[in-house]
Amino acid sequence: MQSRFLTYLFRRVLQAVPLLLLVVVITFLLVHAAPGDPVDVLSGQMETAPEYREQLRREFGLDRPLYVQLGRYVAKVTSLDLGYSLRYRVDVFDLIMSRLPATLLLMGTSLVLSSAIGILLGAFAARHPYSAADNAATLVALAGYSMPVFWLGQLLLLLFALNLGWFPTQGMASLRAPAEGWGRAFDIAHHLALPALTYSVYNLTLIFRLTRARMQETLAEDYITTARAKGVSEGAVVFRHALRNALLPVVTVIGLTFGFMLAGSVLTETVFAWPGLGRLMYEAIMARDYPILMGLFIFISSLVIVANVITDVIYALIDPRVVYK
Amino acid sequence: MIRKTLATVGLVAAFGLAVPAPAAAQPQRGGTLIIGLEGEPGSLVAHLATDTAALMVASNMLSTLFTLNFDFEPVPDLAEKWTQSADGRTYTFQLVRNAKWHDGKPVTARDVEFTFNEVIAKVHPRAASWWPNVEYAKAIDDYTFEIKLKEPYAPFLTVLGYTLGSGTMMLPKHVYQGTDPKTNPANAAPIGSGPFKFKEWVKGSHVELVRNDAYYKPGKPYLDRIIVRFLPDAAARLLAFERGEVDFLHWYIVPHDRVKDLRKDPRFQIVEKGGEAAATNEYLLFNLRNQHLKDVRVRRAIAYALDRSVIQDISLFGEGKPARSFVNSGLRWIFEPSYDVYDGDAKKDLATANKLLDEAGFARGADGTRFSLRVFWASGRDYEGRAAEVIRDQLKQAGIDVKIQVFDRPTFIDRVFRQWDFDLANQLFTTGPDPTISVTPRYHTNQIKKQPFVNGMGYSNPALDKLFDAEFKIVDRKQRADMWRQIQKILMEDLPAVPLFEIPVVNAVSSKFKDVITDPQGYVQSREDAYMVK
């Protein structure tokens, strides 16, 4: 059983390699097809001599034909080297790693928050379909689902930061009077609240609606009727019999949203000046910093693949019927 | 009281006078100034790029030879005295003797010599625009430094004082010697001789600087710390300022629609100076390759049809003023508004516009339209978008159909300055600190190049080129000013662009701080004079 699963895992990882290569080639071409020139940003805001621009181009290999640049890049990536940022002139991998913790903190908090609340609310709503509470929750969910993240973020800022003054508006920690130890942890949590909330809303509503729909279907199944007829307590019916079955597609969706969340962090992190990967990507796009952009795409693609594998594993844990070959 | 002080500041800014600030309380030691920036710089030094964000941090750590006052005269920094030879070619600087690098070693003329010859000349993006005219730059002894030019160059001291454009901030020879000045790790953790020392750079978040207790100017600086935060979202950035999380937003990032409210709020002050060195105008650029726009009558007709007071009022929410020439009014010694004949009585102007367009042979079609033009703008400066809409409405009345297209900035630059694929474009140009540096490159025939912010319009006038080629060799300031008035006259007649409005200098500063801005490069200057009042 165990060895079978490991073989499966190995095969999945192997399959990911050509997929990643394809991602590298396509994103490389796309990124370079976008108009704009990194040399503009590198030299600053004023006009510069063409000789200087040529020199910069040579220095970064941007003077070579695109297929040569692509070949060099693929060769580098296969030896696990993501190259140097044009703008910061530091290693791209180090740059990504330095920004990862902030994004993981924000993403992790939101993922836990939105999954827990979404599933519980969904189960509750399915248990009392078309009640006033269910209707209200559905309405709010619909609004939350369709609200642009940056707009929601600014509304939350206006209400909770400016009018009520409960939360700070920008960044990850107070800089005027930096705290230590537990004070620092509290300070970060304080800064985290609004961005995490903003970031959670979309996922929360997605998970809520999916759980509610699946739970409603499941609760109508014959085995639920049977369980109730056997005299199983209502709590056990809902949580042990129904929810466990209803959750399977929910887990898939949570796994899938992982990739979207990484990409979606651009907006939230920009609004709240959160020092994570989303900001890094936004700035790299504006500066046409190709190595950072490429590095981020590869990194995110890898994480999405890993997230999919993890989703499969969780799947097997929840559903004993799932067997990997 | 605050209103009164503001009015005084406004007056000083408006007339460019170097009036000392009204007697204020004695500056006090202590406090942290938090500066909000819209983006993160690529490095923290001045020699790698002409980059506002980098300069705003670097100017606090690195010293210059001298700074500039509001009359664009040098003010001592590392150089305490200087002389110019009679032929105008040799400049000799005496350096202060008590300056030390942040690592404790003394600052000498050898460092200055090294910075000029080995760093700025070789690496700075704009060195090619002035360095070829330098015959030599050398240390005469430990505290004397000399530069000799091949030909007299009137704006030379202004170039050296204008650090954003020339990158002339001094670096330690012992740190940079034998290394590549582009990749030296000190570029991200500078060792300077300025009022503040580097502490840390948390990527994506902020840079922290601390007071340099060994600074060579006695008593300075006053602040204990400076923190520069990177806050990319405009609305959230302003919220952070209003909540007191940030103390200073420079004039590029203060939203004009909020200036009125901020002025009324006693917690804040709007400082209307510190942008004179940039002296920035907004323009409507013409592509002179366009079959309609290549006719000067069409360009003049457009200038007549536009009501720039309305454009300025709507675009900037009443801040700033219409631009009346191809140099900004901040350059008082040459600014000449009288050649602007296009903005009189709106009705009469529209009649003139229609007449000119008829004469040019572009009669109105059945639907009242003569021809169509596209106007481009780049997202980021909202006022350019608002201006585009007013322009569309105003030109419609003259029978010109205008379509607005917006791009992200790199794409905009590509379309306008490299592909030359545009009709009209909203773009700002600096005109200071010296017009030779900032005006000539936009309109000289030899600047028709596929490069950002030069003559993308494709405009050429040999008579004007001749003036451009002669004026910077004239050392006599009056004579030079006369030539610059002639240049403005020709430009206002030929109209390679329409000067729309002057970008208002409105820095937002917390009322807790004083003297945050003290010179014409106020947005990028060092904060050694800034102090906290409570």
Side-chain angles (χ1 to χ4, degrees):
Chain A
M1 191 67 199
Q2 191 107 33
S3 69
R4 259 167 115 187
F5 179 69
L6 281 180
T7 323
Y8 166 80
L9 206 64
F10 182 68
R11 218 178 54 229
R12 280 293 300 268
V13 172
L14 264 192
Q15 281 168 349
V17 171
L19 189 65
L20 261 180
L21 267 180
L22 198 68
V23 167
V24 170
V25 173
I26 292 176
T27 46
F28 188 91
L29 294 176
L30 275 178
V31 162
H32 284 76
D37 186 342
V39 172
D40 289 344
V41 181
L42 286 172
S43 55
Q45 302 144 338
M46 292 176 209
E47 65 288 346
T48 43
E51 302 78 39
Y52 180 82
R53 305 174 63 84
E54 280 319 304
Q55 184 198 325
L56 274 185
R57 238 177 267 284
R58 267 198 309 279
E59 196 182 325
F60 293 112
L62 296 168
D63 56 332
R64 298 314 210 60
L66 198 57
Y67 66 89
V68 176
Q69 291 185 44
L70 175 62
R72 283 182 174 182
Y73 189 74
V74 172
K76 252 201 290 191
V77 167
T78 46
S79 60
L80 299 178
D81 177 4
L82 293 181
Y84 271 77
S85 153
L86 304 181
R87 212 160 107 77
Y88 296 110
R89 298 183 198 241
V90 294
D91 192 75
V92 167
F93 185 76
D94 292 346
L95 207 55
I96 291 178
M97 282 303 132
S98 73
R99 304 291 278 267
L100 185 63
T103 294
L104 281 186
L105 178 65
L106 180 59
M107 259 184 62
T109 312
S110 312
L111 209 58
V112 169
L113 212 67
S114 55
S115 304
I117 300 179
I119 289 171
L120 283 179
L121 272 183
F124 174 81
R127 191 56 198 78
H128 311 275
Y130 309 113
S131 65
D134 174 39
N135 286 339
T138 304
L139 195 73
V140 171
L142 208 62
Y145 188 72
S146 33
M147 201 179 290
V149 169
F150 59 90
W151 191 60
L152 175 68
Q154 290 185 347
L155 288 186
L156 291 178
L157 274 177
L158 279 177
L159 179 62
F160 291 110
L162 189 70
N163 291 341
L164 296 173
W166 291 352
F167 295 101
T169 60
Q170 300 269 275
M172 200 170 159
S174 305
L175 298 173
R176 214 184 285 279
E180 302 286 335
W182 283 107
R184 184 170 161 75
F186 176 77
D187 188 37
I188 291 177
H190 196 201
H191 280 79
L192 177 65
L194 287 185
L197 181 60
T198 307
Y199 205 18
S200 303
V201 165
Y202 177 86
N203 262 327
L204 198 158
T205 55
L206 188 73
I207 292 168
F208 163 75
R209 287 172 55 79
L210 195 69
T211 311
R212 180 184 175 278
R214 287 292 305 172
M215 271 298 273
Q216 248 190 312
E217 280 172 37
T218 314
L219 283 173
E221 296 276 352
D222 289 345
Y223 62 83
I224 298 293
T225 318
T226 311
R228 282 192 177 131
K230 282 197 305 186
V232 177
S233 77
E234 188 60 19
V237 168
V238 171
F239 287 102
R240 197 161 333 131
H241 293 257
L243 192 59
R244 197 161 164 189
N245 280 297
L247 273 190
L248 291 176
V250 177
V251 168
T252 314
V253 166
I254 294 176
L256 282 178
T257 48
F258 190 80
F260 287 114
M261 280 189 88
L262 259 180
S265 64
V266 174
L267 292 173
T268 313
E269 291 187 2
T270 301
V271 170
F272 292 96
W274 193 259
L277 289 177
R279 284 271 307 284
L280 185 64
M281 185 185 296
Y282 173 79
E283 272 155 25
I285 291 172
M286 295 319 281
R288 298 291 191 262
D289 196 328
Y290 300 141
I292 295 189
L293 275 178
M294 290 302 302
L296 278 172
F297 285 136
I298 293 171
F299 185 75
I300 292 174
S301 310
S302 315
L303 276 190
V304 168
I305 291 170
V306 170
N308 284 350
V309 174
I310 294 177
T311 311
D312 287 347
V313 174
I314 297 180
Y315 226 88
L317 290 178
I318 303 184
D319 188 347
R321 288 168 303 179
V322 175
V323 176
Y324 291 104
K325 295 181 197 157
Chain B
M1 179 60 210
I2 282 159
R3 293 304 304 249
K4 215 167 166 186
T5 318
L6 278 174
T8 319
V9 168
L11 235 89
V12 172
F15 296 102
L17 300 172
V19 175
Q26 190 68 23
Q28 304 163 18
R29 275 280 303 276
T32 300
L33 177 75
I34 301 187
I35 299 174
L37 268 193
E38 67 275 32
E40 187 157 12
S43 68
L44 303 181
V45 287
H47 62 272
L48 292 181
T50 55
D51 178 347
T52 312
L55 258 287
M56 284 192 81
V57 186
S59 61
N60 294 298
M61 296 179 286
L62 307 178
S63 301
T64 53
L65 285 179
F66 52 83
T67 57
L68 298 170
N69 68 14
F70 286 101
D71 292 324
F72 296 99
E73 294 159 344
V75 177
D77 190 2
L78 262 185
E80 55 182 357
K81 281 181 280 191
W82 49 86
T83 53
Q84 186 180 1
S85 66
D87 64 357
R89 287 172 56 203
T90 309
Y91 297 82
T92 310
F93 301 91
Q94 295 295 329
L95 306 188
V96 295
R97 285 161 189 263
N98 59 340
K100 283 193 173 65
W101 297 110
H102 294 158
D103 62 9
K105 296 203 165 64
V107 180
T108 71
R110 319 278 166 202
D111 295 303
V112 178
E113 176 191 74
F114 178 84
T115 303
F116 274 93
N117 291 325
E118 300 301 322
V119 181
I120 289 165
K122 292 187 178 166
V123 176
H124 194 270
R126 296 191 81 236
S129 68
W130 60 278
W131 184 262
N133 187 34
V134 172
E135 194 171 299
Y136 65 75
K138 66 179 181 194
I140 304 296
D141 59 44
D142 272 359
Y143 295 99
T144 312
F145 170 70
E146 196 170 276
I147 293 190
K148 187 170 185 187
L149 303 181
K150 292 174 186 158
E151 279 178 36
Y153 181 58
F156 185 65
L157 283 182
T158 310
V159 168
L160 293 194
Y162 181 48
T163 45
L164 180 59
S166 61
T168 45
M169 288 188 174
M170 300 308 125
L171 298 170
K173 185 178 179 181
H174 64 275
V175 172
Y176 278 86
Q177 194 169 31
T179 70
D180 181 352
K182 286 182 174 173
T183 54
N184 192 307
N187 293 341
I191 295 167
S193 52
F196 295 90
K197 294 193 285 191
F198 175 81
K199 185 174 174 206
E200 65 169 343
W201 180 0
V202 180
K203 290 266 164 64
S205 175
H206 66 277
V207 175
E208 182 172 348
L209 314 177
V210 293
R211 185 177 196 274
N212 173 15
D213 293 320
Y215 191 43
Y216 49 89
K217 293 179 190 169
K220 288 185 185 177
Y222 305 111
L223 298 168
D224 286 336
R225 290 195 304 163
I226 290 181
I227 293 172
V228 180
R229 297 185 69 178
F230 314 123
L231 309 172
D233 185 79
R237 189 166 58 224
L238 193 73
L239 277 183
F241 176 74
E242 288 182 59
R243 271 190 35 97
E245 291 174 35
V246 170
D247 303 312
F248 172 45
L249 299 176
H250 65 91
W251 60 305
Y252 287 175
I253 54 172
V254 173
H256 301 120
D257 58 328
R258 299 303 313 280
V259 172
K260 266 196 193 85
D261 289 340
L262 292 177
R263 273 206 181 95
K264 282 184 212 147
D265 195 322
R267 294 174 298 160
F268 312 120
Q269 42 182 333
I270 295 292
V271 180
E272 298 187 59
K273 58 178 178 177
E276 291 80 358
T280 310
N281 282 359
E282 179 71 35
Y283 295 90
L284 179 67
L285 306 184
F286 293 126
N287 187 348
L288 270 62
R289 302 160 192 92
N290 177 286
Q291 53 159 327
H292 307 291
L293 296 172
K294 68 183 174 197
D295 188 328
V296 70
R297 287 171 296 188
V298 173
R299 303 201 296 274
R300 286 178 190 155
I302 289 176
Y304 276 115
L306 296 178
D307 189 337
R308 284 168 290 157
S309 310
V310 174
I311 297 176
Q312 167 253 325
D313 193 49
I314 291 179
S315 305
L316 302 171
F317 298 93
E319 300 295 325
K321 52 187 168 187
R324 296 289 175 207
S325 178
F326 284 78
V327 300
N328 181 282
S329 61
L331 301 182
R332 274 189 79 216
W333 65 287
I334 54 169
F335 173 68
E336 183 50 71
S338 67
Y339 308 124
D340 184 357
V341 296
Y342 306 101
D343 231 1
D345 176 65
K347 241 189 200 148
K348 260 191 219 157
D349 285 347
L350 190 59
T352 316
N354 278 311
K355 195 170 138 251
L356 282 167
L357 289 168
D358 288 338
E359 278 173 23
F362 302 116
R364 283 179 191 262
D367 61 349
T369 305
R370 300 171 192 274
F371 53 84
S372 289
L373 295 172
R374 302 162 299 166
V375 59
F376 291 176
W377 67 285
S379 60
R381 301 184 190 120
D382 292 349
Y383 52 81
E384 291 181 335
R386 287 189 289 274
E389 301 204 9
V390 182
I391 288 167
R392 176 179 59 191
D393 289 350
Q394 293 182 348
L395 292 187
K396 195 174 181 187
Q397 298 177 37
I400 301 173
D401 171 52
V402 172
K403 289 191 174 57
I404 300 174
Q405 276 179 267
V406 56
F407 303 95
D408 75 331
R409 194 160 303 281
T411 311
F412 174 88
I413 290 173
D414 198 62
R415 291 289 285 268
V416 174
F417 290 103
R418 254 191 277 280
Q419 311 292 329
W420 296 336
D421 173 19
F422 72 106
D423 304 329
L424 307 169
N426 283 347
Q427 171 68 43
L428 51 78
F429 284 151
T430 54
T431 71
D434 191 284
T436 305
I437 307 168
S438 292
V439 178
T440 305
R442 327 279 189 200
Y443 313 107
H444 198 297
T445 307
N446 67 18
Q447 297 294 316
I448 304 179
K449 300 178 198 168
K450 300 204 161 184
Q451 264 180 55
F453 314 130
V454 293
N455 190 346
M457 295 81 85
Y459 165 69
S460 171
N461 181 338
L464 184 69
D465 292 344
K466 234 182 231 167
L467 282 168
F468 280 148
D469 294 337
E471 65 80 22
F472 64 85
K473 294 175 188 151
I474 313 255
V475 179
D476 181 74
R477 208 165 151 96
K478 262 208 171 125
Q479 211 184 329
R480 230 188 125 208
D482 279 341
M483 295 180 83
W484 270 102
R485 277 186 276 274
Q486 289 178 53
I487 290 170
Q488 291 172 75
K489 182 165 187 282
I490 295 176
L491 284 171
M492 283 309 281
E493 285 168 3
D494 288 356
L495 290 178
V498 180
L500 293 176
F501 46 80
E502 304 197 340
I503 307 297
V505 183
V506 280
N507 299 281
V509 188
S510 155
S511 299
K512 289 181 190 153
F513 293 89
K514 284 224 157 62
D515 289 348
V516 173
I517 289 177
T518 56
D519 80 25
Q521 308 182 70
Y523 57 120
V524 293
Q525 75 172 101
S526 113
R527 310 295 159 197
E528 65 179 43
D529 293 313
Y531 63 96
M532 210 171 167
V533 280
K534 53 178 175 180

